Amino acid sequence: MSPSSAVHDNTAWTNAAPDLSVLIPFYRDDPESLIASLDREAGALNGSVEIVLLDDGARDAALITRLIARIEACDLPIRLISLPSNEGRSIGRNRLADAARGSSLLFLDSDMRPDHDRFLQTWSDLARAGQTAVAFGGFSLLQAPEDARFAVHRSMAARSDCLPREQRALQPEKHVFTSNLLVRRDVFEAEAFDPGFTGWGWEDVEWAMRVSRRFKVEHIDNPATHMGLDTVESLAAKYEQSAPNFARVVARHPDFVSAYPSYRVARRLQTVPGLRAIRPLFKQAARSSLLPVRLRAFSLRLYRVALYAEAI
């Protein structure tokens, strides 16, 4: 832990002996609603689950004050770590793992919401059994906002992220995200997240590729809703950040990536004359509210793949 980080533990933290550590990083997001949702299961868990929160350098004093008040009122053991500056997704999650005491780690994004009232109990039972190396619980859109400005992201997520367990298991490493991911401690000690990834995207899938060469990656049905849907502009900006990360994955794991449609289409697009001039048109189409949502989503996928074609 950084010597300049601030740490706050609630009363339940001191004497807890958890099997499962729930690790929640956040940066300019408010995880208070998620904490409240998780704490509803505290009575049934008997101290078997703790939460470690990481404020990745947002420097939002009002938010931290609210969070401290919230965690003091919680029955679950909770530690809040506040970093003085932003360190990024990979380093932050590695820091969370270092602070955890459980034999298994549950990586959970701050914009997720459990879809049922035995969410933590299901993960805790797997952690206590100790047989599961890695398991992804799945996404849903059950509780996600239905605002028109999020319609494109909702369409894309329903098609590619919110998949049933059987479909995810066909390519287990591809459908791993740190938004709802159980990892046994010895697995994470063997394979941590690569701090060389910066910005948004692919650091979790690259990690799963490495892990799957040594350990079994499982998929179960223990979903949570992804509440943090993005506008087209926000999603496009994330894709722009993710292109160098995609190239990093291609260089390291060509055997996995060569089977992905995004890679195959990107390779084909490399032969298209004037792709760089055409690419902004895909983004423009995705932004147009005059077009059907499915066509806008298709255009945004083309924009992402065109970025990848230039990166590789």
Side-chain angles (χ1 to χ4, degrees), residues 26-28 54-60 64 81-88:
F26 63 97
Y27 178 68
R28 297 177 179 169
L54 181 75
D55 166 23
D56 196 5
R59 297 189 178 188
D60 186 337
I64 296 304
I81 303 168
S82 297
L83 300 180
S85 59
N86 181 256
E87 295 188 343

Side-chain angles (χ1 to χ4, degrees), residues 47-61:
S48 64
V49 177
E50 68 178 9
I51 296 176
V52 188
L53 296 160
L54 181 75
D55 166 23
D56 196 5
R59 297 189 178 188
D60 186 337

Side-chain angles (χ1 to χ4, degrees), residues 157-292:
R159 182 178 184 271
S160 61
D161 295 337
C162 302
L163 302 176
R165 175 185 61 82
E166 295 81 7
Q167 190 172 345
R168 286 184 268 126
L170 296 175
Q171 289 180 297
E173 86 296 332
K174 180 181 180 181
H175 300 290
V176 164
F177 307 98
T178 49
S179 50
N180 186 15
L181 177 67
L182 183 78
V183 186
R184 203 172 59 217
R185 177 177 289 277
D186 64 295
V187 176
F188 196 79
E189 289 174 349
E191 296 286 356
F193 291 106
D194 178 2
F197 282 88
T198 58
W200 183 88
W202 289 98
E203 78 283 347
D204 40 14
V205 178
E206 191 278 333
W207 174 85
M209 290 174 179
R210 279 187 281 122
V211 167
S212 68
R213 300 184 191 278
R214 304 174 60 184
F215 302 95
K216 183 178 180 181
V217 176
E218 300 180 48
H219 286 265
I220 70 168
D221 286 319
N222 191 28
T225 294
H226 179 209
M227 301 292 291
L229 296 180
D230 288 307
T231 63
V232 168
E233 286 291 346
S234 296
L235 203 53
K238 288 182 175 180
Y239 292 156
E240 289 155 13
Q241 290 182 38
S242 75
N245 288 348
F246 180 73
R248 188 179 180 91
V249 175
V250 171
R252 290 186 168 192
H253 305 282
D255 54 334
F256 281 122
V257 182
S258 61
Y260 294 179
S262 56
Y263 174 79
R264 295 199 297 266
V265 175
R267 296 293 279 180
R268 293 192 190 103
L269 284 181
Q270 287 178 325
T271 66
V272 175
L275 177 61
R276 179 166 294 188
I278 297 170
R279 173 165 51 82
L281 299 178
F282 299 146
K283 183 177 177 179
Q284 183 177 338
R287 295 170 60 189
S288 175
S289 60
L290 299 176
L291 297 176

Side-chain angles (χ1 to χ4, degrees), residues 61-174:
L63 173 59
I64 296 304
T65 298
R66 288 202 315 275
L67 283 179
I68 288 175
R70 166 63 66 180
I71 68 176
E72 285 294 343
C74 286
D75 294 317
L76 286 173
I78 303 178
R79 164 167 284 185
L80 169 63
I81 303 168
S82 297
L83 300 180
S85 59
N86 181 256
E87 295 188 343
R89 294 159 60 90
S90 293
I91 294 176
R93 290 186 173 94
N94 290 341
R95 283 194 181 279
L96 280 166
D98 289 340
R101 300 177 295 183
S103 58
S104 289
L105 316 173
L106 176 64
F107 292 95
L108 191 62
D109 280 353
S110 61
D111 59 0
M112 302 297 284
R113 297 292 181 275
D115 281 346
H116 60 95
D117 58 8
R118 284 183 54 83
F119 177 78
L120 286 182
Q121 187 68 66
T122 300
W123 286 127
S124 179
D125 290 345
L126 285 178
R128 187 179 298 110
Q131 300 302 307
T132 303
V134 178
F136 180 65
F139 277 151
S140 87
L141 295 169
L142 186 64
Q143 306 170 68
E146 297 189 14
D147 308 39
R149 61 197 175 113
F150 302 134
V152 171
H153 193 182
R154 172 180 275 276
S155 174
M156 295 176 73
R159 182 178 184 271
S160 61
D161 295 337
C162 302
L163 302 176
R165 175 185 61 82
E166 295 81 7
Q167 190 172 345
R168 286 184 268 126
L170 296 175
Q171 289 180 297
E173 86 296 332
K174 180 181 180 181

